[in-house]
Amino acid sequence: MNWDWGAVADFMPHFWDGLLVTLQALVLGSLISFALGLVWALLMRVPTRWVTWPVGIVTEFVRNTPLLVQLFFLYYVLPEWGLTFSALTTGVFAIGLHYSTYTMQVYRAGIEAVPVGQWEAATALNLPLRRTWTVVILPQAIRRVVPALGNYVIAMLKDTPMLMAITVLDMMGEARLFSQQTFRFTEPLTVIGVAFILISYLASVLLRTLERRLVR
């Protein structure tokens, strides 16, 4: 294998641009998945089938269809209905929506793991339902599910290269474009492979640190 450090140097400006896009997609997609997943989980606890059935159908459909199909649908079909967004915005929303159906299950498990005595104590104190959730239940539930949520952050990171399919120039998109222009594939692909490993490792360390602090 002929390693060309000149090709690495030429690729690095493109790499930094792609890294910024990848991190934007990861952070914003994670925030959407965490927030929307919590909404799904709370709606599934509403004591009426008129709410739980539609939510269940939507989340099952999203969870059981490929992310790539959802990306194509949002990017190419929605404009025909008058809804046009940038490629990055579409990709961020697609990742957030897709993974919200997984984080929903994580939140549900965390809520169900809260001891019954906590609910009974809140009732005995005559706390309003909103305060019961915000002060008693959710803080305990979220503390329990941080490790599982962290696993999905790493999973989202590894799925960001799919955004290349809708013209988003993330790290993988920049590497592909550079390779097509220079016919050098080894150097850019190796660089982004190492970058994904480092980002995943750093994310794991941060999540473990956060978990330890929450357990205290």
Side-chain angles (χ1 to χ4, degrees), residues 26 150 153-155 157-158 193-208:
L26 176 63
V153 171
I154 296 174
L157 171 65
K158 291 187 290 186
V194 172
F196 273 112
I197 293 173
L198 292 177
I199 296 171
S200 297
Y201 176 74
L202 291 175
S204 299
V205 171
L206 290 174
L207 289 166
R208 285 197 297 269

Side-chain angles (χ1 to χ4, degrees), residues 13-55:
H14 304 279
F15 166 76
W16 294 119
D17 291 340
L19 177 63
L20 179 60
V21 173
T22 296
L23 294 178
Q24 285 179 327
L26 176 63
V27 173
L28 296 177
S30 297
L31 292 176
I32 292 174
S33 70
F34 294 162
L36 193 54
L38 181 58
V39 171
W40 295 140
L42 294 177
L43 288 177
M44 288 298 292
R45 295 185 66 87
V46 174
T48 172
R49 293 182 178 180
W50 293 106
V51 174
T52 58
W53 279 11
V55 172

Side-chain angles (χ1 to χ4, degrees), residues 26-216:
L26 176 63
V27 173
L28 296 177
S30 297
L31 292 176
I32 292 174
S33 70
F34 294 162
L36 193 54
L38 181 58
V39 171
W40 295 140
L42 294 177
L43 288 177
M44 288 298 292
R45 295 185 66 87
V46 174
T48 172
R49 293 182 178 180
W50 293 106
V51 174
T52 58
W53 279 11
V55 172
I57 291 171
V58 170
T59 54
E60 283 296 322
F61 176 81
V62 173
R63 184 165 55 247
N64 290 290
T65 53
L67 174 58
L68 187 60
V69 173
Q70 295 167 16
L71 284 167
F72 280 132
F73 181 87
L74 292 174
Y75 189 67
Y76 293 108
V77 176
L78 288 187
E80 296 182 4
W81 297 349
L83 298 173
T84 303
F85 304 98
S86 68
L88 180 58
T89 300
T90 302
V92 166
F93 179 73
I95 288 178
L97 175 63
H98 184 79
Y99 277 94
S100 71
T101 61
Y102 293 95
T103 59
M104 175 191 76
Q105 300 297 340
V106 174
Y107 284 124
R108 288 181 65 182
I111 292 170
E112 292 172 359
V114 175
V116 176
Q118 297 295 309
W119 295 90
E120 295 173 345
T123 302
L125 293 172
N126 199 29
L127 290 180
L129 183 61
R130 180 178 63 82
R131 284 186 60 79
T132 297
W133 277 103
T134 58
V135 177
V136 180
I137 305 302
L138 288 181
Q140 296 184 62
I142 293 175
R143 187 179 299 116
R144 296 169 185 268
V145 302
V146 166
L149 293 177
N151 291 335
Y152 284 118
V153 171
I154 296 174
M156 279 185 270
L157 171 65
K158 291 187 290 186
D159 274 348
T160 54
M162 287 192 184
L163 302 186
M164 178 180 62
I166 57 171
T167 73
V168 174
L169 289 178
D170 65 331
M171 287 194 296
M172 187 64 192
E174 290 284 4
R176 180 185 180 186
L177 183 61
F178 180 83
S179 297
Q180 290 175 338
Q181 293 173 342
T182 62
F183 299 101
R184 297 296 306 186
F185 295 90
T186 302
E187 293 82 4
L189 292 177
T190 301
V191 168
I192 66 168
V194 172
F196 273 112
I197 293 173
L198 292 177
I199 296 171
S200 297
Y201 176 74
L202 291 175
S204 299
V205 171
L206 290 174
L207 289 166
R208 285 197 297 269
T209 302
L210 178 60
E211 180 185 358
R212 286 195 296 269
R213 291 188 176 183
L214 290 175
V215 170
R216 291 177 183 174

